Amino acid sequence: MSDNLPSTTPLLSLAPLAYYWSKEDTLRFYVDAMQWPVDIVYLGEVICSRRHLMKLDDWLALGRELRAAGKQVVLSSLTLIDSEADRRNMHRMIERACAEDFLVETNDFSAVRAMQGKPFVAGPHLNIYHADSLLWLASLGAKRFLPPIEMGRDDLAALQHQRAEHMPQMQTEVQVWGRLALAFSSRCFTARHHRLHKDSCEFRCEQYPDGLALATREGKDFLTINGIQTQSASCLDLGAQLPELAAMQVDILRLQPQAQDMAEVIAAFDRARTMCTGANVSEAFLPPHARRSNGYWVDKPGMQWLANEQTG
């Protein structure tokens, strides 16, 4: 992890890749990431166990390279475990990650149990809404947590106050950029869109490097389909709220990978965190078909966008 930032400066993290890119594109993305001013990089397949272009050995080798480049590397577990094979693969990933001294992000409670008291990151899909849950996870080994994407400013502030009082060593990581993960299903919506069965999906996800846009009958962007995952159509942007997040003592700002313009997005947040200002990301760097949103932050519908003067 980078050591040249003041202790009061939030770290930047790169969330695990949600999309199914070619192996070449995936490796190229992370080679570029070695030069970006991100401190923490999450690796691994978190969406679908059928995605196989990057094997566990590939993720681990990539992790070693990123660690050599000065990044803290975290291996992320699958979010939906729905077969015995998934369970075995999850245990294997955790065993090998821990053997190489990589931290693990648990996105399912079966992964929490598999950690057996070793340090881990409690992922956003564990749904940590209050201090009792966080205290319990800390007793199991959690060293960092991500609140659910729908948690607003006031609830996060209250949780942060309790964290500081009862769990001062616990780190808080908050997503500040990118499409929001809304739901997971045993069905594959991308396969269904192409009139295919999940088990014979022909890996159509690879055709959509930023997900498949879903519109209403009126032609308005509504959701984004990403295999078994449903994402927001909009792009979360809490850039203007960085001073608020810093005041709450949020330790890490999470950015979701996208296929284009990731370097520019990271540069904007890096400038803002070091200057203690809000991040201003150009409209040109939004994902395809996306507009900004930040409604959850002020307890509004998540897809809404409110200007800074309305959220302050």
Side-chain angles (χ1 to χ4, degrees), residues 154-258:
D154 294 341
D155 288 338
L156 179 60
L159 184 55
Q160 283 294 90
H161 177 76
Q162 293 172 308
R163 184 207 69 160
E165 182 177 354
H166 301 292
M167 296 159 280
Q169 301 306 312
M170 177 72 71
Q171 291 184 315
T172 303
E173 181 172 350
V174 173
Q175 181 180 337
V176 295
W177 176 269
R179 287 199 168 102
L180 296 169
L182 301 177
F184 293 83
S185 171
S186 293
R187 291 187 177 186
C188 176
F189 299 110
T190 306
R192 188 175 181 87
H193 172 77
H194 288 278
R195 302 184 184 278
L196 297 168
H197 293 291
K198 179 181 178 181
D199 293 338
S200 54
C201 64
E202 301 176 5
F203 304 103
R204 294 296 181 94
C205 286
E206 200 173 355
Q207 298 178 11
Y208 308 102
D210 282 298
L212 172 60
L214 177 66
T216 65
R217 291 184 177 180
E218 292 75 25
K220 295 183 179 179
D221 292 326
F222 178 50
L223 296 169
T224 301
I225 296 171
N226 178 38
I228 68 168
Q229 182 191 53
T230 303
Q231 298 180 329
S232 61
S234 60
C235 175
L236 173 69
D237 180 4
L238 293 184
Q241 284 71 48
L242 293 199
E244 287 183 86
L245 291 161
M248 289 182 195
Q249 298 184 321
V250 168
D251 304 281
I252 302 162
L253 309 173
R254 174 177 278 210
L255 309 170
Q256 290 288 341
Q258 58 190 49

Side-chain angles (χ1 to χ4, degrees), residues 3 29 44 55 77 81 88 94 102 120 150 164 180 198 228 274 285 290:
D3 294 323
F29 178 84
K55 312 287 189 191
S77 75
I81 307 292
R88 288 196 303 268
I94 290 174
F102 290 124
F120 65 90
E150 69 271 21
L180 296 169
K198 179 181 178 181
I228 68 168
T274 55
F285 302 143

Side-chain angles (χ1 to χ4, degrees), residues 15 19 25 40 42 44 63 76 78 81 91 93 96 179 184 190 197 209 233 239 244 247 262 287:
Y19 306 109
D25 287 344
I40 304 167
Y42 289 79
S76 296
L78 200 65
I81 307 292
H91 278 271
M93 183 277 287
R96 294 195 59 188
R179 287 199 168 102
F184 293 83
T190 306
H197 293 291
E244 287 183 86
M262 199 68 221

